[in-house]
Coordinates of all heavy atoms in Angstrom, one line a residue:
L692 N -17.3 17.6 -4.0 CA -15.9 17.8 -3.4 C -16.1 18.4 -2.0 O -15.5 18.0 -1.0 CB -15.2 18.7 -4.3 CG -13.6 18.6 -4.3 CD1 -13.2 17.2 -4.5 CD2 -13.1 19.4 -5.4
F693 N -16.9 19.6 -1.9 CA -17.1 20.1 -0.7 C -17.7 19.3 0.4 O -17.2 19.2 1.6 CB -18.2 21.4 -0.8 CG -17.4 22.5 -1.7 CD1 -18.4 23.5 -2.2 CD2 -16.3 22.5 -2.1 CE1 -17.9 24.5 -3.0 CE2 -15.8 23.6 -3.0 CZ -16.7 24.5 -3.4
D694 N -18.7 18.5 0.1 CA -19.3 17.6 1.0 C -18.4 16.5 1.6 O -18.3 16.1 2.7 CB -20.7 17.1 0.5 CG -21.4 16.3 1.7 OD1 -21.8 16.9 2.6 OD2 -21.4 15.0 1.7
A695 N -17.6 15.9 0.5 CA -16.6 14.9 0.9 C -15.5 15.5 1.9 O -15.2 14.9 2.9 CB -16.0 14.3 -0.3
V696 N -15.1 16.6 1.6 CA -14.0 17.4 2.5 C -14.6 17.5 3.9 O -14.0 17.1 4.9 CB -13.7 18.7 1.9 CG1 -13.0 19.5 2.9 CG2 -12.7 18.6 0.7
V697 N -15.9 18.0 4.0 CA -16.4 18.3 5.3 C -16.7 17.0 6.0 O -16.3 16.8 7.3 CB -17.8 19.1 5.1 CG1 -18.6 19.1 6.5 CG2 -17.5 20.5 4.7
T698 N -17.1 16.0 5.4 CA -17.4 14.7 5.9 C -16.1 14.0 6.4 O -16.1 13.6 7.6 CB -18.2 13.7 4.9 OG1 -19.3 14.4 4.4 CG2 -18.6 12.5 5.5
V699 N -15.2 13.9 5.6 CA -13.9 13.4 6.0 C -13.2 14.1 7.4 O -12.8 13.5 8.2 CB -12.9 13.3 5.0 CG1 -11.4 12.9 5.4 CG2 -13.3 12.3 3.9
Q700 N -13.3 15.4 7.2 CA -12.8 16.2 8.3 C -13.5 15.9 9.5 O -12.9 15.8 10.7 CB -12.7 17.7 7.8 CG -11.5 17.9 6.8 CD -11.6 19.4 6.3 OE1 -12.4 20.1 6.6 NE2 -10.6 19.6 5.6
S701 N -14.8 16.0 9.5 CA -15.6 15.8 10.8 C -15.5 14.4 11.3 O -15.5 14.2 12.5 CB -17.2 16.1 10.6 OG -17.7 15.3 9.6
C702 N -15.4 13.5 10.5 CA -15.3 12.0 10.8 C -13.8 11.9 11.5 O -13.8 11.2 12.6 CB -15.4 11.0 9.7 SG -17.1 10.9 9.2
L703 N -12.8 12.3 10.9 CA -11.5 12.2 11.5 C -11.5 12.8 12.9 O -10.9 12.3 13.9 CB -10.5 12.8 10.6 CG -9.9 12.0 9.6 CD1 -9.0 12.7 8.5 CD2 -9.1 10.8 10.1
E704 N -12.0 14.0 13.0 CA -12.1 14.7 14.3 C -12.8 13.9 15.3 O -12.3 13.7 16.4 CB -12.7 16.1 14.1 CG -12.8 16.9 15.5 CD -13.5 18.3 15.2 OE1 -14.5 18.3 14.6 OE2 -13.0 19.3 16.1
A705 N -13.9 13.5 15.0 CA -14.8 12.7 16.0 C -14.1 11.4 16.3 O -14.1 11.0 17.6 CB -16.2 12.3 15.4
M706 N -13.6 10.7 15.5 CA -12.9 9.4 15.7 C -11.7 9.6 16.5 O -11.4 8.8 17.5 CB -12.6 8.5 14.5 CG -13.7 8.0 13.8 SD -14.7 6.9 15.0 CE -13.8 5.4 14.8
T707 N -11.0 10.7 16.4 CA -9.8 11.0 17.1 C -10.2 11.3 18.7 O -9.5 10.7 19.6 CB -9.0 12.2 16.5 OG1 -8.7 11.9 15.3 CG2 -7.7 12.5 17.4
I708 N -11.2 11.9 18.9 CA -11.7 12.3 20.1 C -12.3 11.0 20.8 O -12.0 10.7 21.9 CB -12.9 13.3 20.0 CG1 -12.4 14.7 19.7 CG2 -13.6 13.4 21.5 CD1 -13.4 15.7 19.3
L709 N -12.8 10.2 20.0 CA -13.3 8.9 20.6 C -12.1 8.1 21.1 O -12.2 7.5 22.1 CB -14.1 8.1 19.5 CG -14.6 6.7 19.9 CD1 -16.0 6.9 20.8 CD2 -15.1 5.9 18.7
L710 N -11.1 8.0 20.3 CA -9.9 7.3 20.7 C -9.3 8.0 21.9 O -8.8 7.3 23.0 CB -8.8 7.2 19.6 CG -9.2 6.3 18.5 CD1 -8.2 6.5 17.3 CD2 -9.4 4.9 18.7
Q711 N -9.3 9.2 22.0 CA -8.5 10.0 23.0 C -9.2 9.9 24.3 O -8.7 9.7 25.4 CB -8.3 11.4 22.7 CG -7.3 11.7 21.6 CD -7.4 13.2 21.0 OE1 -8.4 13.9 21.2 NE2 -6.2 13.6 20.4
E712 N -10.5 10.1 24.3 CA -11.2 10.1 25.6 C -12.6 9.6 25.6 O -13.3 9.6 26.6 CB -11.5 11.6 26.0 CG -12.2 12.4 25.0 CD -12.4 13.8 25.5 OE1 -11.4 14.6 25.4 OE2 -13.4 14.1 26.0
G713 N -13.1 8.8 24.6 CA -14.5 8.4 24.4 C -14.7 6.9 24.8 O -15.8 6.5 24.9
M714 N -13.7 6.1 24.9 CA -13.9 4.8 25.3 C -12.6 4.2 26.1 O -11.5 4.7 26.1 CB -14.0 3.9 24.1 CG -12.7 3.9 23.1 SD -13.2 3.0 21.6 CE -11.5 2.4 21.3
E715 N -12.9 3.1 26.9 CA -12.0 2.6 27.7 C -12.1 1.1 27.4 O -13.1 0.4 27.4 CB -12.4 2.9 29.2 CG -11.2 2.8 30.1 CD -11.5 3.4 31.4 OE1 -12.6 3.9 31.6 OE2 -10.7 3.2 32.3
F716 N -10.9 0.4 27.3 CA -10.8 -1.0 27.1 C -11.1 -1.7 28.4 O -10.6 -1.2 29.4 CB -9.5 -1.5 26.5 CG -9.5 -1.2 25.0 CD1 -8.9 0.0 24.5 CD2 -10.1 -2.1 24.1 CE1 -8.9 0.2 23.1 CE2 -10.1 -1.9 22.8 CZ -9.5 -0.8 22.3
R717 N -11.9 -2.8 28.6 CA -12.2 -3.5 29.7 C -11.2 -4.5 29.7 O -11.4 -5.8 29.2 CB -13.6 -4.0 29.6 CG -14.6 -2.8 29.5 CD -16.0 -3.4 29.4 NE -16.5 -4.1 30.5 CZ -17.9 -4.5 30.6 NH1 -18.6 -4.1 29.6 NH2 -18.3 -5.1 31.7
T718 N -10.1 -4.4 30.4 CA -8.9 -5.3 30.3 C -9.2 -6.7 30.9 O -8.8 -7.7 30.5 CB -7.7 -4.6 31.0 OG1 -8.1 -4.1 32.2 CG2 -7.1 -3.6 30.0
Q719 N -10.1 -6.6 32.1 CA -10.3 -7.9 32.6 C -11.2 -8.7 31.8 O -11.0 -10.0 31.6 CB -11.0 -7.7 34.0 CG -10.1 -7.2 35.1 CD -10.8 -7.0 36.5 OE1 -11.9 -6.9 36.5 NE2 -9.9 -7.0 37.5
R720 N -12.2 -8.1 31.1 CA -13.0 -8.9 30.1 C -12.2 -9.4 29.0 O -12.4 -10.6 28.6 CB -14.1 -7.9 29.6 CG -15.3 -7.7 30.5 CD -16.2 -8.7 30.5 NE -16.5 -9.2 29.2 CZ -17.3 -10.2 28.8 NH1 -17.9 -10.8 29.8 NH2 -17.3 -10.6 27.6
L721 N -11.2 -8.5 28.6 CA -10.3 -9.0 27.4 C -9.5 -10.2 27.9 O -9.4 -11.1 27.2 CB -9.4 -7.9 27.1 CG -10.2 -6.9 26.2 CD1 -9.3 -5.6 26.1 CD2 -10.5 -7.3 24.9
Q722 N -8.9 -10.2 29.2 CA -8.1 -11.2 29.7 C -9.0 -12.5 29.7 O -8.6 -13.5 29.4 CB -7.6 -10.8 31.0 CG -6.8 -12.0 31.7 CD -5.5 -12.2 30.8 OE1 -4.8 -11.3 30.3 NE2 -5.1 -13.4 30.7
A723 N -10.3 -12.4 30.4 CA -11.0 -13.5 30.3 C -11.5 -14.1 29.0 O -11.4 -15.3 28.7 CB -12.3 -13.2 31.1
A724 N -11.6 -13.2 28.0 CA -11.9 -13.6 26.7 C -10.8 -14.5 26.0 O -11.2 -15.5 25.5 CB -12.3 -12.4 25.7
V725 N -9.7 -14.1 26.3 CA -8.6 -14.8 25.6 C -8.2 -16.2 26.3 O -7.5 -17.0 25.8 CB -7.2 -14.1 25.4 CG1 -7.4 -12.9 24.4 CG2 -6.8 -13.5 26.7
S726 N -8.8 -16.3 27.6 CA -8.5 -17.5 28.4 C -9.6 -18.5 28.2 O -9.5 -19.6 28.9 CB -8.4 -17.2 29.9 OG -7.5 -15.9 30.0
E727 N -10.7 -18.2 27.5 CA -11.9 -19.1 27.6 C -12.2 -19.7 26.2 O -13.3 -19.9 25.9 CB -13.0 -18.3 28.1 CG -12.9 -18.1 29.7 CD -13.9 -16.9 30.1 OE1 -14.7 -16.5 29.2 OE2 -13.9 -16.7 31.2
D728 N -11.2 -19.8 25.4 CA -11.5 -20.4 24.1 C -10.4 -21.3 23.5 O -9.5 -21.6 24.3 CB -11.8 -19.2 23.1 CG -10.5 -18.3 22.9 OD1 -9.3 -18.8 23.2 OD2 -10.7 -17.2 22.5
F729 N -10.5 -21.6 22.3 CA -9.6 -22.6 21.7 C -8.6 -21.8 20.8 O -8.1 -22.4 19.9 CB -10.3 -23.7 21.0 CG -11.0 -24.7 21.9 CD1 -12.3 -24.5 22.4 CD2 -10.3 -25.7 22.4 CE1 -12.9 -25.4 23.2 CE2 -10.9 -26.7 23.3 CZ -12.2 -26.5 23.7

Side-chain angles (χ1 to χ4, degrees):
L692 210 49
F693 296 167
D694 187 69
V696 162
V697 168
T698 305
V699 168
Q700 290 177 351
S701 63
C702 288
L703 271 171
E704 181 183 35
M706 286 302 278
T707 303
I708 293 170
L709 183 72
L710 292 176
Q711 284 168 341
E712 57 175 82
M714 63 184 210
E715 204 168 351
F716 283 97
R717 298 174 67 175
T718 48
Q719 284 182 341
R720 284 276 323 176
L721 287 165
Q722 183 58 41
V725 294
S726 314
E727 285 163 5
D728 61 20
F729 287 89

